[in-house]
Amino acid sequence: MKLSKDDLLLYAITDRRNLDKKVFFEKIEEALQGGVTILQLREKELDEDSFINEAIEVKNICRKHGVPLIINDNVNVALKSGADGVHVGIEDMPIDEIRRTVPDSFIIGATCKTVEQAQSAERLGADYMGVGAVFPSPTKKNAVRITREQLKEICASVSIPAVAIGGISLENVDELKGGGMSGIAVVSAVFSADDIQKAASLLKEKAKSLI
């Protein structure tokens, strides 16, 4: 599948921590029921075979809701699981190298923190970008912050869509209005919520009002 801007409205990135598989999958289901429009499966501790098997199960949940599944960092896991795409950071596998080895329909997302990085990502074949951190992030404590004005400048510098990322919550998301993004990417704002489905629904409505 290819990405539309609407797919990026509410981009959720999983946070498994110490959850067992059953609870983890239940949380994903609740997030999708609440209105998450695209899901990134992020696993830093699993071996590759376990990551592939988990991705296949998560893909089946996503398919039920018509939501694209993106794999964090690992192209091999994305291809072997049948996921829709991969998201890579600046220090990961080069975008043009990925593009040469994947189907045309495969989605590639890239982390960008500057106009130069955004323009390079687009030129090399990225379909969308994640721009941030726009707020202090509990999952990436050393992430470099960017201002709303920088977010706007980066988004305006390319034709591919962007999601703002980094510490976004219901309490601060309104500060991003006018940032030029096509959506917001969240982790704990959804997956650490007491009511995941409700949190996703509220964040989606917020995102609609900002875009």
Side-chain angles (χ1 to χ4, degrees), residues 26-183:
E26 286 172 352
K27 284 177 175 280
I28 290 173
E29 183 86 48
E30 290 169 25
L32 298 180
Q33 288 170 345
V36 163
T37 56
I38 186 168
L39 183 79
Q40 182 186 133
L41 182 60
R42 185 175 185 268
E43 288 287 5
K44 294 296 188 182
E45 309 298 329
L46 287 184
D47 63 83
E48 188 158 287
D49 285 344
S50 298
F51 196 173
I52 291 168
N53 290 333
E54 179 178 282
I56 290 169
E57 294 188 71
V58 174
K59 177 193 69 177
N60 292 334
I61 300 172
C62 288
R63 290 287 183 273
K64 188 168 67 173
H65 294 274
V67 169
L69 174 64
I70 305 296
I71 301 298
N72 179 261
D73 288 347
N74 197 314
V75 180
N76 197 43
V77 169
L79 291 171
K80 288 191 173 182
S81 67
D84 298 292
V86 71
H87 187 96
V88 292
I90 299 159
E91 68 287 347
D92 297 318
M93 187 175 176
I95 295 165
D96 54 344
E97 188 177 325
I98 298 171
R99 183 54 72 201
R100 286 194 296 268
T101 61
V102 298
D104 290 343
S105 60
F106 192 82
I107 298 164
I108 302 175
T111 298
C112 301
K113 300 177 184 296
T114 65
V115 166
E116 292 74 23
Q117 289 172 0
Q119 291 175 340
S120 174
E122 180 176 38
R123 186 175 64 253
L124 295 174
D127 296 293
Y128 76 91
M129 56 185 179
V131 182
V134 291
F135 300 112
S137 172
T139 56
K140 291 195 174 183
K141 298 188 186 303
N142 297 322
V144 177
R145 288 279 309 281
I146 66 167
T147 65
R148 187 180 67 88
E149 287 68 32
Q150 288 171 316
L151 170 66
K152 185 176 181 179
E153 183 184 13
I154 292 167
C155 291
S157 71
V158 294
S159 60
I160 58 174
V163 289
I165 187 170
I168 296 172
S169 68
L170 277 169
E171 290 70 37
N172 62 24
V173 68
D174 286 334
E175 296 175 38
L176 299 177
K177 190 171 182 64
M181 63 282 176
S182 295

